[in-house]
Amino acid sequence: MLSDKVAIVTGSTSGIGESIAKTLAKQGVKVLVTGKEQEQGERIVEAIKSEGGAACLFISDLLDPRTPDQLVELAVSEWGRVDIIVNNAAMVCNKPIEDITHDDWDRLFTVNLKAPFFLVQAALPYLKAHKGTVINISSINGKLNDYHNLVYDTMKAGLNHMTSGLALDFPQRGNTRQCFNASRGGNTFARGLV
């Protein structure tokens, strides 16, 4: 069912994103691995290829507003389509209220909310054409606040709300938007996605 689909997985050079990328590849999905870690990313791509999967690496920074378009352009140039967007990348800000800065708010808003939206927007023609799927990786912090975690918690709550909004504005039959609260890490969580 997933064979020859194409996925972009942000933040997939480590952690949950790495597990998602590898799990999708085992299902026959061609995966664009993207994140900040060059060596780790190369290792993940090689691991996928060594098991017969297809993957390529794009080292990126979601603080750069050009990145969403670049990711879609690369996936399309490599494989001609985009079927799955996994918005996994996120930044954290563990600070007491009195130490939080404008820069903290701006960085987390850009990476945790703005970039996911613009990645979906950039991929929208392909998602519509192929009845694609958007998976936003949220957190239990989007529902329950944690100590010294206000900015991150707020962004994850916003991601939950954005996912609901995508469902309203992108209602075509067959297109799906999902939001997962990542309270577990690693392969167990990733296996639950497919």
Side-chain angles (χ1 to χ4, degrees):
M1 194 169 141
L2 293 175
S3 183
D4 292 325
K5 303 279 188 188
V6 174
I8 299 171
V9 184
T10 67
S12 52
T13 56
S14 64
I16 290 172
E18 175 183 350
S19 296
I20 292 170
K22 288 179 175 178
T23 300
L24 287 172
K26 286 178 182 175
Q27 302 294 320
V29 177
K30 299 169 182 171
V31 182
L32 176 55
V33 174
T34 180
K36 292 183 175 182
E37 307 295 332
Q38 178 85 37
E39 287 185 20
Q40 287 175 231
E42 290 172 357
R43 175 183 52 78
I44 292 162
V45 168
E46 286 308 310
I48 289 171
K49 289 180 176 180
S50 72
E51 294 187 4
C56 66
L57 175 65
F58 184 76
I59 298 302
S60 64
D61 185 347
L62 290 173
L63 287 169
D64 184 339
R66 298 171 298 177
T67 297
D69 287 332
Q70 291 170 341
L71 294 173
V72 173
E73 287 166 10
L74 179 57
V76 171
S77 71
E78 286 285 322
W79 299 302
R81 59 191 292 161
V82 177
D83 302 276
I84 302 165
I85 297 290
V86 182
N87 283 309
N88 170 70
M91 295 183 80
V92 297
C93 175
N94 301 117
K95 293 183 178 181
I97 290 172
E98 57 269 26
D99 293 339
I100 295 170
T101 66
H102 282 274
D103 186 56
D104 293 327
W105 277 100
D106 292 344
R107 288 181 311 107
L108 268 72
F109 176 72
T110 299
V111 172
N112 296 13
L113 269 177
K114 188 175 170 185
F117 170 80
F118 282 106
L119 181 54
V120 171
Q121 185 188 67
L124 200 57
Y126 304 99
L127 295 172
K128 285 182 175 181
H130 302 291
K131 297 183 178 178
T133 298
V134 175
I135 299 170
N136 292 326
I137 305 300
S138 187
S139 168
I140 194 65
N141 294 77
K143 295 182 178 182
L144 299 171
N145 288 87
D146 199 4
Y147 186 66
H148 287 174
N149 214 34
L150 177 66
V151 182
Y152 176 81
D153 296 351
T154 302
M155 296 305 156
K156 287 302 186 181
L159 185 65
N160 294 345
H161 204 66
M162 185 176 80
T163 304
S164 298
L166 287 171
L168 289 176
D169 288 347
F170 185 25
Q172 288 84 355
R173 184 181 175 88
N175 297 109
T176 58
R177 290 100 1 234
Q178 302 172 24
C179 199
F180 287 92
N181 289 321
S183 57
R184 295 175 287 150
N187 290 318
T188 303
F189 175 79
R191 280 196 298 271
L193 297 179
V194 293

